[in-house]
C-alpha cells in the first residue's frame, strides 16, 4: 500500500504538479486529440493529479485510489 504524501494528508487536490505556477490550466486542442486518436484507440487525460506524464493518465490513479479510498479516474476520448 502506498503511503500518502504530506500534501495529500493536508487534503490538497494537486500534491505536486507545476506547484511553481499559480494555476494549472491545460488546453487540449480538438485537433491534437484527433491526431493522437489516429495513432491510439483512446487518449486518457489525468484527473487525479498523480500522473508522471500529466496531463495524460499513466495509471497512477489506481494506487492513489487504493491508498486513499478515493475513486478518481481519467477523462477518456475514443
Ligand atoms: Fe491520474 Fe489516471 S493517472 S487519472
Amino acid at each position: 500500500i502506498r503511503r500518502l504524501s504530506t500534501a495529500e494528508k493536508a487534503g490538497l487536490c494537486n500534491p505536486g504538479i507545476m506547484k511553481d505556477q499559480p494555476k494549472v490550466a491545460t488546453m487540449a486542442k480538438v485537433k491534437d486529440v484527433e491526431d493522437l486518436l489516429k495513432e491510439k484507440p483512446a487518449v486518457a487525460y489525468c484527473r487525479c493529479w498523480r500522473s508522471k506524464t500529466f496531463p495524460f493518465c499513466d495509471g497512477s490513479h489506481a494506487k492513489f485510489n487504493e491508498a486513499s479510498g478515493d475513486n478518481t479516474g481519467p477523462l477518456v476520448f475514443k
Side-chain angles (χ1 to χ4, degrees):
I1 294 177
R2 187 177 76 82
R3 301 247 183 238
L4 296 178
S5 69
T6 302
E8 289 168 333
K9 288 178 184 171
L12 293 178
C13 177
N14 173 9
I17 295 174
M18 294 193 251
K19 295 306 268 188
D20 59 330
Q21 302 295 318
K23 172 177 68 178
V24 179
T26 306
M27 180 181 293
K29 295 180 181 175
V30 171
K31 175 82 170 81
D32 292 343
V33 174
E34 288 174 343
D35 287 347
L36 288 169
L37 288 173
K38 290 175 186 170
E39 303 166 13
K40 303 175 173 186
V43 178
Y45 285 87
C46 176
R47 294 191 300 180
C48 76
W49 295 92
R50 272 75 187 171
S51 176
K52 303 288 185 287
T53 59
F54 193 87
F56 299 104
C57 172
D58 70 354
S60 295
H61 58 267
K63 285 184 179 177
F64 171 70
N65 288 344
E66 186 178 319
S68 68
D70 211 336
N71 63 348
T72 62
L75 169 64
V76 180
F77 291 92
K78 290 186 176 184

